[in-house]
Amino acid sequence: EAIVTSEELGQDLEHVEVLQKKFEEFQTDLAAHEERVNEVNQFAGKLIQEQHPEEELIKSKQDEVNASWQRLKGLALQRQGKLFGAAEVQRFNRDVDETISWIKEKGQLMASDDFGRDLASVQALLRKHEGLERDLAALEDKVKALCAEADRLQQSHPINASQIQVKREELIANWEQIRTLAAERHARLNDSYRLQRFLADFRDLTSWVTEMKALINADELANDVAGAEALLDRHQEHKGEIDAHEDSFKSADESGQALLAAGHYASDEVKEKLTILSDERAALLELWELRRQQYEQCMDLQLFYRDTEQVDNWMSKQEAFLLNEDLGDSLDSVEALLKKHEDFEKSLSAQEEKIT
């Protein structure tokens, strides 16, 4: 009877399970003694049937034994129920403690101040965080189930209701905290991603500008008309590539302006990079225009040299014609010479237009 009337219900799930095992051993022993009680009842019945002189005493003892036996069995059932209820409560406590422990472990990861140093590291951190958020989404069902279990246990075990409620509130507080941490970290990682995306675009564009400046400055001025024409054609191709990057410059500027408008934590750095990017683009266009003027001047100079050479060659040839002392020795030959001289004068007028 001392076993079944014990109020000891265990301090944790392991302790309750130890008590349950001991109680199961007691129940086995109790079941073994039921046959003994049956034998006592049979023997008492036999004595009464035989009209034993102590019949009243025998009946009294039989009733006493049966009453004690039934009382013991009733207490055993009560004890069994109490231990079962204690196991439910302690199992709930353990599940809540394990869930809170997991939440705190993940909370340490989400409290990290590492938001990436470049685009690749930010993307890796975002993928890792998205994995944690998937774990949280799966855990949400468990948290809801534990809250429902808490409500049920408070109804079925009112004596433990206050303690169960404390556990429930502790679970909810930790759950809300990690959800807040997760949302804040996701937002910070997104801010970091947008910054690193902008900085990567900035580096790509400034690097391209440097390469393009070197390319534009690489060509020497031409020494003939064909070379000057080739320089102008190639220079125009450079302008086509510059124009093709306009969308990239516009996109980078819009990204930077969006960061500034959102009050990004790196606004000062973004503002500085936007200024550099704008200056670099302007300097590139200015250089292209300067070289265009130089190439066109080179073209004009080479055309001048070509025309001058052509005129010099023509004049050298015509000078020999003019120095000819042949004035004709007949009317036909004189007329032929006059015709040639007229042709010369026409040609001279045409060359004069080029020279002037």
Side-chain angles (χ1 to χ4, degrees):
E1 190 167 322
I3 294 175
V4 294
T5 56
S6 172
E7 294 298 323
E8 185 179 17
L9 295 175
Q11 301 301 314
D12 52 40
L13 184 59
E14 288 73 17
H15 191 189
V16 174
E17 288 174 344
V18 169
L19 292 176
Q20 283 182 315
K21 186 174 181 181
K22 287 182 178 180
F23 186 73
E24 287 172 2
E25 294 172 354
F26 163 76
Q27 285 183 308
T28 301
D29 188 49
L30 188 66
H33 279 77
E34 187 166 13
E35 184 62 30
R36 180 60 179 157
V37 172
N38 290 336
E39 290 175 356
V40 169
N41 279 319
Q42 288 175 2
F43 188 58
K46 181 182 177 184
L47 291 174
I48 293 169
Q49 189 177 8
E50 293 174 352
Q51 297 182 348
H52 194 282
E54 298 294 334
E55 181 179 343
E56 291 302 321
L57 179 60
I58 292 170
K59 285 183 178 180
S60 174
K61 287 292 184 182
Q62 183 184 20
D63 291 342
E64 185 180 333
V65 168
N66 286 329
S68 296
W69 177 249
Q70 293 302 320
R71 181 172 179 276
L72 184 61
K73 288 175 69 175
L75 289 171
L77 284 173
Q78 292 178 17
R79 175 67 176 167
Q80 184 180 34
K82 287 180 180 180
L83 287 173
F84 178 78
E88 282 191 316
V89 173
Q90 293 299 343
R91 190 172 292 108
F92 166 78
N93 290 339
R94 182 200 62 186
D95 290 347
V96 169
D97 288 342
E98 288 179 350
T99 303
I100 290 175
S101 177
W102 185 92
I103 288 174
K104 288 182 176 178
E105 178 186 336
K106 301 304 178 184
Q108 290 178 351
L109 296 176
M110 295 193 183
S112 169
D113 58 358
D114 181 10
F115 300 105
R117 300 169 302 283
D118 51 39
L119 188 59
S121 61
V122 174
Q123 289 173 323
L125 287 172
L126 269 171
R127 287 193 297 271
K128 183 177 180 181
H129 187 74
E130 287 166 359
L132 288 173
E133 288 184 324
R134 286 192 293 273
D135 291 342
L136 284 183
L139 184 67
E140 185 173 9
D141 291 338
K142 185 174 183 180
V143 171
K144 289 179 179 179
L146 285 172
C147 287
E149 178 69 357
D151 294 339
R152 185 187 71 81
L153 291 174
Q154 284 179 296
Q155 293 293 325
S156 59
H157 304 289
I159 193 170
N160 300 111
S162 60
Q163 179 266 324
I164 293 169
Q165 182 61 20
V166 169
K167 278 290 182 185
R168 185 178 188 275
E169 290 174 357
E170 184 183 0
L171 174 64
I172 292 173
N174 278 274
W175 173 245
E176 293 298 334
Q177 182 182 22
I178 197 169
R179 288 181 64 187
T180 300
L181 280 174
E184 290 175 351
R185 180 162 178 77
H186 203 155
R188 287 296 300 273
L189 284 172
N190 279 334
D191 286 345
S192 181
Y193 173 79
R194 291 165 61 205
L195 173 64
Q196 295 301 334
R197 178 73 271 173
F198 168 76
L199 292 177
D201 291 343
F202 167 81
R203 287 190 293 271
D204 289 344
L205 286 171
T206 52
S207 176
W208 174 80
V209 168
T210 300
E211 293 174 1
M212 186 55 63
K213 283 180 178 179
L215 200 59
I216 290 173
N217 279 321
D219 291 323
E220 298 290 339
L221 295 178
N223 296 317
D224 53 41
V225 173
E229 287 178 344
L231 278 178
L232 282 170
D233 289 343
R234 189 155 55 249
H235 195 60
Q236 195 58 42
E237 289 175 2
H238 295 333
K239 184 60 164 63
E241 188 172 352
I242 292 172
D243 291 343
H245 277 74
E246 278 301 301
D247 286 344
S248 297
F249 278 100
K250 182 180 178 182
S251 177
D253 184 71
E254 289 174 351
S255 296
Q257 295 298 340
L259 290 172
L260 295 180
H264 195 278
Y265 62 84
S267 290
D268 290 343
E269 181 182 6
V270 172
K271 192 178 298 182
E272 178 188 356
K273 300 298 186 190
L274 284 174
T275 300
I276 292 173
L277 201 58
S278 177
D279 291 347
E280 285 290 309
R281 176 179 171 276
L284 177 62
L285 291 173
E286 184 178 344
L287 174 62
W288 185 88
E289 179 60 24
L290 175 63
R291 293 295 279 176
R292 184 192 65 79
Q293 293 175 7
Q294 290 175 345
Y295 291 152
E296 287 188 350
Q297 289 171 356
C298 177
M299 182 67 172
D300 291 341
L301 180 62
Q302 294 305 323
L303 287 171
F304 171 75
Y305 285 157
R306 185 192 65 181
D307 292 346
T308 301
E309 185 178 357
Q310 289 174 351
V311 170
D312 282 344
N313 291 335
W314 180 84
M315 287 192 296
S316 295
K317 292 178 181 178
Q318 299 309 316
E319 188 175 351
F321 170 75
L322 293 173
L323 292 174
N324 187 352
E325 294 181 355
D326 182 12
L327 299 175
D329 54 6
S330 65
L331 180 61
D332 290 340
S333 61
V334 170
E335 287 178 348
L337 288 171
L338 283 171
K339 180 68 172 61
K340 286 183 179 180
H341 194 76
E342 288 173 1
D343 292 341
F344 163 74
E345 287 180 336
K346 290 178 181 178
S347 179
L348 180 63
S349 296
Q351 293 297 329
E352 188 175 7
E353 290 179 5
K354 286 185 179 181
I355 294 171
T356 58

